[in-house]
């Protein structure tokens, strides 16, 4: 199985993370990628560097204004007098959390500070001098993985960091800037008429849901911790089923806080049944490991071995499958989680 990763994805190194009103240690550290590469090594897989695709793939699911904002954010920030170490919003525009509100107007503010608040939706998406390069490379890693599938591979792994599934068409939140899974799924549509995305990150894949919410050609499914009292709070509920032509093509399967492997697998059985009924031609697995019991910001109780069962379930669909890395912040757990997932996923191939 081929895997993809660009070393420049490790340049993004957030310095500030706010939780419960105070600065706490950053969760999305570059060390995460070392651990995940370590898991690949256990399987004899060495990741390849993706080609330099540029912003073209990202622009297939994101607005041009948003991509341009990300691309130029640091150079604009660096011109501010007495600026801090990272681009951070200080204004928070109101916008409906309703997923059927698929698009919002262009940012009415011409000033950069207003745009920071418009495009960076919370305090967990700081951008330092090298962040854009890492964001772009992560999107290229997803694109290269999709291209491997398009070229005939039955499976590939895209080690994306920063993650992507919270990124909407025009907004970054939750450690996510460009939506790598969505970019990959859209690219797979170039050959496959129906693509399914199953997201098992502990957080609802709200950005992925929003991007495809009005479309019947990409089925989006997310299994995650109940958002009633957990991020992203405003979406991820079972009654969000798609809108317009996309009605019936989104499935949210929230799990009760404290749920473990059995509950995850039961939800995946439902997900797999739905993917089969949909008649998917290809699968994107948005693979987070923050459902692990030791994750510092998760609310579920999976063990590393449970991700092996998740891998087996994904493999049982028998589809061409691109695995895209999402979250997972238990730095001592994620290597075993990916190792276990790959063992389960590859066991019958
Ligand atoms: Zn997550």
């Amino acid at each position: 199985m081929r895997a993809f990763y660009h070393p420049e994805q490790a340049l993004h190194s957030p310095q500030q993370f706010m939780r419960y009103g105070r600065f706490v240690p950053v969760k999305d550290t570059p060390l995460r990628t070392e651990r995940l590469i370590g898991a690949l090594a256990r399987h004899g897989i060495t990741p390849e560097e993706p080609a330099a695709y540029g912003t073209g793939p990202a622009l297939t699911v994101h607005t041009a204004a948003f991509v341009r904002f990300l691309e130029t954010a640091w150079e604009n920030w660096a011109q501010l007098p007495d600026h801090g170490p990272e681009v951070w919003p200080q204004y928070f525009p109101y916008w409906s959390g309703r997923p059927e509100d698929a698009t919002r107007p262009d940012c009415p503010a011409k000033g950069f500070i207003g745009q920071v608040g418009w495009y960076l939706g919370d305090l967990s998406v700081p951008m330092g001098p090298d962040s854009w390069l890492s964001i772009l490379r992560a999107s290229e890693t997803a694109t290269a993985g999709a291209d491997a599938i398009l070229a005939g591979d039955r499976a590939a792994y895209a080690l994306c960091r920063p993650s992507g599934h919270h990124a909407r068409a025009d907004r970054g939140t939750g450690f996510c800037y460009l939506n790598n899974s969505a970019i990959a799924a859209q690219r797979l549509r170039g050959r496959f008429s129906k693509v399914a995305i199953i997201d098992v990150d502990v957080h609802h894949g709200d950005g992925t849901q929003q991007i495809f919410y009005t479309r019947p050609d990409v089925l989006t499914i997310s299994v995650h911790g109940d958002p009633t009292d957990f991020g992203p709070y405003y979406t991820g509920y079972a009654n969000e089923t798609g809108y317009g032509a996309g009605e019936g093509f989104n499935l949210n399967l929230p799990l009760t806080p404290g749920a473990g492997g059995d509950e995850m697998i039961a939800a995946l059985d439902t997900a797999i049944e739905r993917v089969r009924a949909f008649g998917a031609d290809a699968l994107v697995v948005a693979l987070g490991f923050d459902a692990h019991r030791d994750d510092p910001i998760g609310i579920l109780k999976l063990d590393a071995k449970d991700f092996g069962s998740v891998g087996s379930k994904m493999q049982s669909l028998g589809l061409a499958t691109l695995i895209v890395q999402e979250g997972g912040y238990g730095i001592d757990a994620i290597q075993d989680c990916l190792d276990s997932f790959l063992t389960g996923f590859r066991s019958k191939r």
Side-chain angles (χ1 to χ4, degrees):
M1 189 173 86
R2 294 174 75 188
F4 298 89
Y5 170 72
H6 197 296
E8 288 174 349
Q9 291 172 229
L11 294 175
H12 171 60
S13 184
Q15 302 298 304
Q16 307 170 98
F17 177 49
M18 183 177 283
R19 197 166 195 235
Y20 305 150
R22 71 178 74 240
F23 288 116
V24 297
V26 166
K27 300 295 183 281
D28 183 19
T29 67
L31 183 58
R32 293 179 60 240
T33 60
E34 292 181 28
R35 297 296 166 89
L36 297 169
I37 289 169
L40 293 176
R42 291 183 193 169
H43 288 259
I45 299 170
T46 304
E48 307 164 38
E49 283 189 20
Y53 293 93
T55 56
L59 287 167
T60 63
V61 299
H62 291 286
T63 68
F66 175 56
V67 173
R68 184 70 186 148
F69 166 81
L70 293 175
E71 191 173 9
T72 56
W74 177 257
E75 63 190 65
N76 282 312
W77 187 256
Q79 290 172 17
L80 295 175
D82 298 325
H83 63 79
E86 295 174 304
V87 181
W88 250 31
Q90 65 195 55
Y91 289 86
F92 295 89
Y94 171 79
W95 188 251
S96 168
R98 288 157 55 90
E100 57 267 42
D101 293 336
T103 58
R104 57 180 181 172
D106 291 340
C107 179
K110 291 194 169 56
F112 176 62
I113 294 298
Q115 292 176 7
V116 174
W118 189 260
Y119 292 118
L120 299 180
D122 64 24
L123 295 176
S124 68
V125 276
M127 294 182 67
D130 299 315
S131 294
W132 166 248
L133 187 56
S134 296
I135 294 162
L136 178 66
R137 292 290 181 251
S139 74
E140 292 173 336
T141 284
T143 303
D147 279 359
I149 302 295
L150 290 172
D153 285 12
R154 293 297 293 171
Y157 171 72
L159 201 178
C160 294
R161 177 191 176 269
S163 304
H165 74 150
H166 295 306
R168 296 181 179 227
D170 62 350
R171 184 170 177 260
T173 59
F175 309 157
C176 299
Y177 305 83
L178 293 177
N179 195 316
N180 307 306
S181 292
I183 290 166
Q186 181 62 31
R187 195 154 182 102
L188 290 174
R189 281 284 291 103
R191 175 176 148 200
F192 301 101
S193 58
K194 290 184 175 184
V195 177
I197 303 173
I198 302 180
D199 185 325
V200 296
D201 188 283
V202 77
H203 303 96
H204 174 231
D206 53 344
T208 313
Q209 168 175 295
Q210 182 258 334
I211 286 169
F212 297 113
Y213 205 63
T214 60
R215 287 172 48 174
D217 57 328
V218 178
L219 172 68
T220 47
I221 300 177
S222 180
V223 185
H224 49 264
D226 183 350
T228 309
D229 191 24
F230 184 59
Y233 295 101
Y234 314 118
T235 61
Y237 298 94
N239 65 358
E240 297 157 14
T241 56
Y243 186 73
E247 176 63 49
F249 298 98
N250 185 76
L251 176 63
N252 287 330
L253 298 165
L255 301 179
T256 307
D262 290 348
E263 290 88 347
M264 170 64 79
I265 294 306
L268 285 180
D269 284 337
T270 302
I272 282 165
E273 196 177 315
R274 185 72 190 82
V275 171
R276 288 209 175 103
F278 172 65
D281 306 302
L283 175 69
V284 173
V285 179
L287 182 62
F289 297 127
D290 39 12
H292 188 276
R293 64 171 62 250
D294 293 337
D295 193 275
I297 58 173
I299 57 169
L300 299 182
K301 302 285 184 199
L302 271 70
D303 294 312
K305 67 173 173 43
D306 293 323
F307 287 96
S309 304
V310 172
S312 302
K313 285 289 171 191
M314 300 302 181
Q315 191 273 344
S316 73
L317 276 165
L319 294 169
T321 302
L322 176 63
I323 302 151
V324 176
Q325 186 64 48
E326 298 287 357
Y329 309 98
I331 209 68
D332 295 324
I334 58 175
Q335 184 159 333
D336 289 340
C337 290
L338 178 57
D339 182 359
S340 178
F341 176 90
L342 291 173
T343 299
F345 181 76
R346 303 174 84 200
S347 59
K348 292 175 190 166
R349 279 177 189 267

